[in-house]
Amino acid sequence: MQEFWVFGYGSLMWRPGFAYEEQRPALLRGAHRSLCVLSHVHRGTPEKPGLVLGLDLGGSCRGTAFRVAPENWAEVRAYLVAREQVTNVYREALRRISFVDTKGGAAAALVFLIDRRHPQYAGQLSIAEQVNLILQGCGISGRCPDYVRSTVLHLRELGIRDPELEALLQAVDDAEALVQVR
């Protein structure tokens, strides 16, 4: 590869944690942002899992692409594997992304797609099941409700609307408000 790109769709968009030379808004086709991963470390435990984002099959996802200097690529990739693959729930892949800024164009980017065969895959949950997992989740990176709230707020700041995620956050906020009233 001549250029090295990483596609971020969640916290990687506003907290990449690695050196990059350029950042551009991008679109990935064939996968969508979804709270489909049972978190056993960052936002939950094996006994009380939380729910975090993954790239699941189908649809498309607006995110941010980061161009990494070739001399930094090995270090950045190692960092990302350590960050994203704590329980090996994702599959690393190179996928075509399209840039959605005035310059346009496309590139191949490293993405982390959910492995649907992994035991932590949690696709097709009802809203109630998702809310319960989010409310109970707390791991080494904090509370799961805070993660969902921060994700929605940061996406809005970047001009990205995710109606499903926003509706889920509203359901979480409503459930937390009910608990406080009692």
Side-chain angles (χ1 to χ4, degrees), residues 6-180:
V6 175
F7 180 77
Y9 58 91
S11 63
L12 203 61
M13 294 170 58
W14 51 86
R15 193 176 44 83
F18 58 86
Y20 57 89
E21 295 189 327
E22 183 179 8
Q23 175 181 343
R24 294 178 66 187
L27 177 71
L28 172 69
R29 286 185 168 75
H32 65 282
R33 179 185 300 106
S34 175
L35 281 168
C36 64
V37 179
L38 294 172
S39 178
H40 290 176
V41 177
H42 287 285
R43 300 292 174 165
T45 65
E47 298 77 28
K48 287 191 172 189
L51 201 57
V52 294
L53 291 172
L55 281 174
D56 203 356
L57 294 175
S60 63
C61 180
R62 289 245 346 253
T64 301
F66 300 91
R67 185 169 55 83
V68 177
E71 62 272 14
N72 295 338
W73 181 246
E75 179 184 333
V76 167
R77 188 174 165 278
Y79 163 78
L80 290 169
V81 167
R83 175 177 168 166
E84 301 297 324
Q85 293 287 56
V86 175
T87 60
N88 294 313
V89 70
Y90 301 107
R91 294 180 297 109
E92 281 182 74
L94 282 179
R95 292 288 189 264
R96 178 185 164 89
I97 57 169
S98 301
F99 298 110
V100 291
D101 55 14
T102 56
K103 294 191 268 184
L110 176 65
V111 299
F112 289 89
L113 303 166
I114 185 68
D115 179 354
R116 285 183 162 199
R117 296 168 298 169
H118 196 282
Q120 286 174 252
Y121 175 66
Q124 310 307 319
L125 295 175
S126 71
I127 294 289
E129 290 170 313
Q130 291 177 62
V131 168
N132 287 337
L133 287 166
I134 292 166
L135 289 175
Q136 80 176 5
C138 187
I140 64 170
S141 296
R143 295 178 61 243
C144 198
D146 298 336
Y147 167 79
V148 175
R149 190 171 294 106
S150 179
T151 298
V152 169
L153 294 175
H154 280 97
L155 288 173
R156 286 178 186 163
E157 287 174 8
L158 295 170
I160 298 173
R161 301 303 290 211
D162 189 320
E164 288 183 25
L165 200 54
E166 292 193 21
L168 186 56
L169 175 60
Q170 186 61 59
V172 168
D173 286 345
D174 291 347
E176 283 190 319
L178 279 176
V179 170
Q180 291 175 357

